Amino acid sequence: MESSPQTEQIFRYSKRRNLVVFGIAESSACATPEALAAHLQSLLFEDAPSSAAPLVSCAYRLGKWKAAQRKPRAVLVELTTVSAKHRAFKASSRLRASRIRLDEDLTPQQMQQRKGLSTDFLGLKIRGFKPFFRGTTLKYRDGGVVRQCAKGGANKIRTPAPTVPGPRPAHRPEHTKCGNGPC
């Protein structure tokens, strides 16, 4: 289903403060949306003082729970400001250690664009890179540099650059045969 550019723009604007959180365990302590929002407030913004206004306005699980389901359902989180969303993304590296992952709330058109890049994503992973998405753009880290991957471009990328620089050659190498100093 193709939407008009105006409709897509309205969709994106309405989702600008939202996050989708994966890996939050299904528990009775987080059964209500209010309890889930309070849990995510403490998880995402642990550095915020408890007297401060909450940055999570609401949170709820996506989809219906099935008895045979192994993975916990994703959680849609609506934050109060866009800057709160950026602060939450800063906590994502800390949360990844707990197998909790954050992602943007995408429109159907954005999801289709990402789906078109899935083969490139897998190709980069196979080659030893750590690919990630920023919106609908596929990016990867090459050594210390973040690069963008064009659609179908993963096949052109060969090997990642080393992440830790190796020893640098001397500016004036010693003479190897006699060892008498610079040539």
Side-chain angles (χ1 to χ4, degrees):
M1 177 179 126
E2 191 70 26
S3 61
S4 70
Q6 292 85 11
T7 308
E8 179 67 20
Q9 188 175 9
I10 292 169
F11 258 158
R12 287 184 186 189
Y13 186 79
S14 68
K15 294 173 175 270
R16 75 190 183 286
R17 296 177 298 158
N18 296 354
L19 281 177
V20 180
V21 182
F22 300 91
I24 301 292
E26 304 261 355
S27 68
S28 58
C30 295
T32 64
E34 295 80 19
L36 189 58
H39 176 65
L40 286 165
Q41 172 73 28
S42 65
L43 195 66
L44 296 173
F45 307 105
E46 68 178 13
D47 60 336
S50 59
S51 61
L55 298 172
V56 176
S57 58
C58 68
Y60 54 90
R61 299 254 179 211
L62 298 174
K64 289 187 176 184
W65 177 254
K66 298 174 186 149
Q69 192 167 336
R70 291 184 184 167
K71 288 184 180 179
R73 295 176 288 170
V75 178
L76 180 66
V77 182
E78 186 177 323
L79 301 169
T80 54
T81 62
V82 176
S83 63
K85 179 179 174 180
H86 296 297
R87 279 184 59 194
F89 272 122
K90 286 182 182 178
S92 68
S93 60
R94 175 179 47 84
L95 295 172
R96 258 185 257 126
S98 306
R99 304 186 67 89
I100 296 174
R101 197 170 50 85
L102 305 179
D103 201 0
E104 297 178 50
D105 185 17
L106 301 175
T107 65
Q109 185 178 3
Q110 289 173 312
M111 284 190 264
Q112 280 298 111
Q113 289 172 339
R114 268 196 187 181
K115 201 174 192 180
L117 291 169
S118 63
T119 55
D120 292 320
F121 186 92
L122 291 172
L124 287 169
K125 262 188 124 169
I126 289 169
R127 286 177 178 77
F129 293 98
K130 292 193 174 185
F132 59 95
F133 284 102
R134 285 290 175 260
T136 56
T137 307
L138 178 60
K139 296 188 175 199
Y140 63 97
R141 188 173 298 275
D142 186 9
V145 180
V146 174
R147 301 187 189 276
Q148 186 172 328
C149 181
K151 187 170 184 173
N155 294 333
K156 298 173 187 168
I157 301 166
R158 294 295 169 218
T159 57
T163 54
V164 178
R168 293 184 179 193
H171 184 64
R172 296 179 143 192
E174 299 292 322
H175 195 276
T176 56
K177 290 185 181 174
C178 66
N180 290 334
C183 298

